[in-house]
Amino acid sequence: MDLNWLQSILFGLVSGLTDILPVSAQAHKAILLKLFGFSDEPAILRFMIHLATLACLYYCCQTQILRISRQLHLARIPRKRRKRPLDTRTLMDFKLLRMMVIPVILSLLLYQKTSVWNHKLNWISVFALVNAVILYLPVLMPSGNKDSRSFSPVEGLLIGFGGAMSIVPGISSVGATTSIFLLRGADRTFALNLTLLLQMAVTAGALVMDVFTMWSIGISSISFGAVFCCILAAAAAFVGTFLGIKALRMMAANIGFNSFAFYSLGLALISFILFLTA
């Protein structure tokens, strides 16, 4: 039995939105699946949603990506032949991002071990509580305005650990990464921009694992109706991701992300109540 078209749209929209907002996407998926009467997310549906999320991240971050690409190309040209100076700030952004990606890649080695928690609401409630604490910690520290020129490679690895936490259901990789950035005194807008680029690596890693999962279980028996619903879910996920990015960019420029700590606290409580009533 598969999700119907309305459930698919709602599931995709919520998945795309919560993959970007600093709240747990996996917690929302587990709650929705329970409310819909399902115990697990189909592999093909998960793949399509991750693919749509990655496409939207690229669409929304393409200005940053093109800027980095141009500067890397310019850096390979001998200094005497360059027609314009290097943007060292952009190159340092890339160096920091490269260090941040390392923990994300290493975390894929543990992906299968932590996936057993994906639909266990008791564990999700515990990790959602941890997520709330992580999101609230920057409130206790003075704000800063540091950018990549002020961060060391070791700090890049530490910040990347936030992205690696995406393998733990209940903890938001976007939330953990931005919080570590802010705890190290980063400017909110700068922190969010690099976090979104890192989230592309996180989502790409999830896509790779989705392919391995589909290869192992096989999808030859999937129906046309299921494929159609997956496409609807993917379209909704693209919209949800786009809205999430817009919301975060507005909050980064104005009020910050602290309110999501209280949301995650409520999410932990709801997950635990649903676990008790199961």
Side-chain angles (χ1 to χ4, degrees):
M1 183 177 177
D2 298 310
L3 299 178
N4 61 39
W5 67 270
L6 184 58
Q7 290 171 335
S8 297
I9 291 174
L10 181 59
F11 189 82
L13 183 64
V14 171
S15 296
L17 194 61
T18 56
D19 260 332
I20 296 303
L21 295 180
V23 295
S24 169
Q26 193 57 50
H28 286 81
K29 289 180 182 180
I31 290 172
L32 275 179
L33 288 172
K34 181 174 178 59
L35 294 176
F36 292 159
F38 293 86
S39 59
D40 199 4
E41 178 185 5
I44 183 66
L45 176 62
R46 183 165 57 247
F47 171 80
M48 292 294 289
I49 287 175
H50 282 150
L51 186 62
T53 300
L54 182 61
C56 189
L57 279 165
Y58 176 79
Y59 174 76
C60 293
C61 299
Q62 58 182 321
T63 300
Q64 298 165 259
I65 295 170
L66 289 174
R67 184 185 302 122
I68 291 174
S69 177
R70 287 167 181 163
Q71 290 305 312
L72 290 174
H73 174 73
L74 187 62
R76 289 192 290 267
I77 300 174
R79 183 179 300 178
K80 293 181 179 180
R81 294 173 53 193
R82 291 177 196 155
K83 296 181 179 180
R84 57 182 183 275
L86 286 174
D87 180 355
T88 56
R89 162 76 181 274
T90 298
L91 291 175
M92 294 188 74
D93 285 352
F94 175 73
K95 289 180 180 179
L96 180 61
L97 182 64
R98 188 169 56 187
M99 295 303 296
M100 291 164 58
V101 169
I102 294 175
V104 172
I105 296 174
L106 294 177
S107 70
L108 295 177
L109 300 175
L110 301 174
Y111 186 87
Q112 294 297 334
K113 294 185 180 296
T114 58
S115 62
V116 298
W117 297 330
N118 282 356
H119 302 287
K120 296 184 182 296
L121 288 171
N122 54 336
W123 283 108
I124 287 176
S125 65
V126 172
F127 292 130
L129 180 61
V130 173
N131 191 62
V133 173
I134 292 172
L135 290 172
Y136 191 74
L137 284 176
V139 177
L140 308 177
M141 302 292 290
S143 59
N145 59 358
K146 292 168 60 177
D147 57 36
S148 56
R149 293 169 292 187
S150 304
F151 286 97
S152 68
V154 174
E155 287 177 307
L157 290 174
L158 175 63
I159 295 165
F161 178 72
M165 294 179 76
S166 63
I167 63 172
V168 180
I171 297 181
S172 163
S173 60
V174 171
T177 305
T178 53
S179 288
I180 297 173
F181 254 127
L182 296 178
L183 287 171
R184 299 304 302 163
D187 172 77
R188 280 202 304 260
T189 299
F190 162 76
L192 177 61
N193 286 337
L194 253 66
T195 295
L196 292 176
L197 290 176
L198 182 66
Q199 190 64 17
M200 289 185 65
V202 171
T203 308
L207 268 174
V208 171
M209 300 311 297
D210 292 341
V211 171
F212 280 125
T213 300
M214 290 189 295
W215 180 271
S216 63
I217 64 176
I219 56 172
S220 57
S221 61
I222 189 169
S223 65
F224 173 79
V227 171
F228 177 71
C229 287
C230 286
I231 293 173
L232 289 178
F238 188 97
V239 173
T241 302
F242 181 81
L243 293 175
I245 292 173
K246 287 290 186 182
L248 282 185
R249 284 177 171 168
M250 180 183 67
M251 296 178 76
N254 296 290
I255 60 175
F257 317 116
N258 304 332
S259 58
F260 288 109
F262 300 102
Y263 181 91
S264 293
L265 186 61
L267 186 64
L269 180 60
I270 293 172
S271 299
F272 188 67
I273 291 173
L274 288 174
F275 165 73
L276 292 178
T277 58

